[in-house]
Amino acid sequence: MFGLIGHSTSFADARRKALELGYDHIAEGDLDVWCSAPPQLVEHVKVVSKAGNKIEGAYIDSCFVPEMLSRFKTARRKVLNAMELAQKKGINITALGGFTSIIFENFNLLEHRQVRNTTLDWSRFTTGNTHTAWVICRQLEINAPLVGIDLKKSKVAVVGATGDIGSAVCRWLSERTGVSELLLVARQQKPLLALQEELQGGRIMSIQEALPEADAVIWVASLPKTLDIEPSMLRSPCLMIDGGYPKNLDEKFAGSGVHVLKGGIVEFFEDIGWGMMELAEMEIPQRQMFACFAEAMILEFEKCHTNFSWGRNNITLKKMDFIGRASVEHGFSALKLKPELQTPVV
Ligand code: NDP
């Protein structure tokens, strides 16, 4: 069985969804009440892959909402409790979705393996970052030509280049795609220099320096809402892949002629009878999902019960090849630009 741990996109949204699901007592509570609410297994689902493999899964809502991010102990407890529930339900492989994988890494939850009388077995969990990185790379490769960008002659900026997903994307783009130049953007210089050495290339730049030069930009850092980007400083055409969470770049560039694609999202080949992706506000919730969630499904289809994506900067090209091949075989495809957005800008 596969599992997905997720959360609502806001407190207001979570309350609305709780009312719909009949959890009235929680729905009416304030943020303090929600802070003490336990995780809920809200849905079971059966899925058959394009290759004919049959699996079962469950969606666990961690009852975390982004408004709790500043409450360090609450955020930590929410993620650990959801993981404990997944393990107690006997789920073989569970993906940590949305902010939960970031909380796991940034709040160092590896040191908190004991949750009451349960010792968490890390091999049952995956961040899903390998599949996310592979999907983002494929989204770039597939969509760039559709808007008139020849990647072999193009500069691609990776914002969040030293992160788990960003570093994997950089490895793929430099080894496999073969872009003309990689522009490496992050705040800390030391990891940037280490990445540059590993890649034997790439130019370290600030966001403000990189954007006017980039033909394509991959965003794999959660960016502050205040980040101010003047659309007129961007190249035309410019393809932006919004791989961060939350995905808010299309608002920044609405109507500016820059092509913005929601990154790290896949579509299954047929409808899945679940309601869980409505919580994540997917455009086609019966088919679309975060690539990290799909990684848990793929691992279950493949009977590969291991923490496939774990820790930081462990994503190899070999792992990306494996998950990419299995993704296609089982019926997932990377989200493309809508047809009306594909016309090259002249
Ligand atoms: P990491 O924490 O490993 O990496 C974050 C990267 O962003 C680092 O390189 C960091 O470097 C950089 N960064 C952070 N803030 C800034 C800033 N203000 N300016 C420039 N660079 C910055 O994160 P992950 O790789 O695990 O995840 C990256 C993003 O992808 C997250 O937003 C996550 O939510 C999202 N994600 C999306 C998924 C999907 O859509 N399917 C699935 C999983 C994750 P430094 O600190 O030096 O600046």
Side-chain angles (χ1 to χ4, degrees), residues 1-5 41 44 56-60 81-95 118-121 123-125 300 303 305:
M1 181 146 88
F2 71 91
L4 312 174
I5 293 178
L41 195 161
H44 276 107
E56 291 185 27
Y59 179 78
I60 292 174
N81 286 350
M83 293 173 84
E84 182 204 26
L85 180 60
Q87 186 164 318
K88 277 190 164 167
K89 293 287 176 188
I91 298 174
N92 300 315
I93 185 74
T94 298
T118 305
T119 307
L120 291 176
D121 172 4
S123 69
R124 290 173 178 268
F125 300 94
E300 182 66 10
K303 295 278 166 278
H305 295 149

Side-chain angles (χ1 to χ4, degrees), residues 96 98-99 101-102 106 127-129 132 159-166 185-189 191 207 219-224 242-247 263-265 290-292 312-313:
L96 303 177
F99 279 119
S101 71
I102 295 186
N106 292 1
T127 62
N129 283 352
T132 300
V159 182
T162 52
D164 194 39
I165 299 173
V185 180
R187 292 163 305 180
Q188 300 168 72
Q189 288 303 299
I207 295 187
W219 300 86
V220 273
S222 299
L223 288 170
D242 187 0
Y245 184 86
K247 303 197 183 298
I265 295 187
F290 292 116
C292 55
R312 278 288 177 268
N313 293 7

Side-chain angles (χ1 to χ4, degrees), residues 203-230:
R203 195 152 37 108
I204 296 171
M205 301 173 91
S206 68
I207 295 187
Q208 302 303 338
E209 288 167 338
L211 291 184
E213 284 200 38
D215 300 288
V217 186
I218 292 181
W219 300 86
V220 273
S222 299
L223 288 170
K225 277 201 172 132
T226 48
L227 181 77
D228 215 10
I229 303 163
E230 177 47 54

Side-chain angles (χ1 to χ4, degrees), residues 7 14 23 46 116-117 119 205 208 223 256 264 278 310:
H7 59 79
Y23 297 109
K46 289 184 181 178
R116 287 171 286 273
N117 58 357
T119 307
M205 301 173 91
Q208 302 303 338
L223 288 170
S256 65
E278 273 155 32
W310 205 239

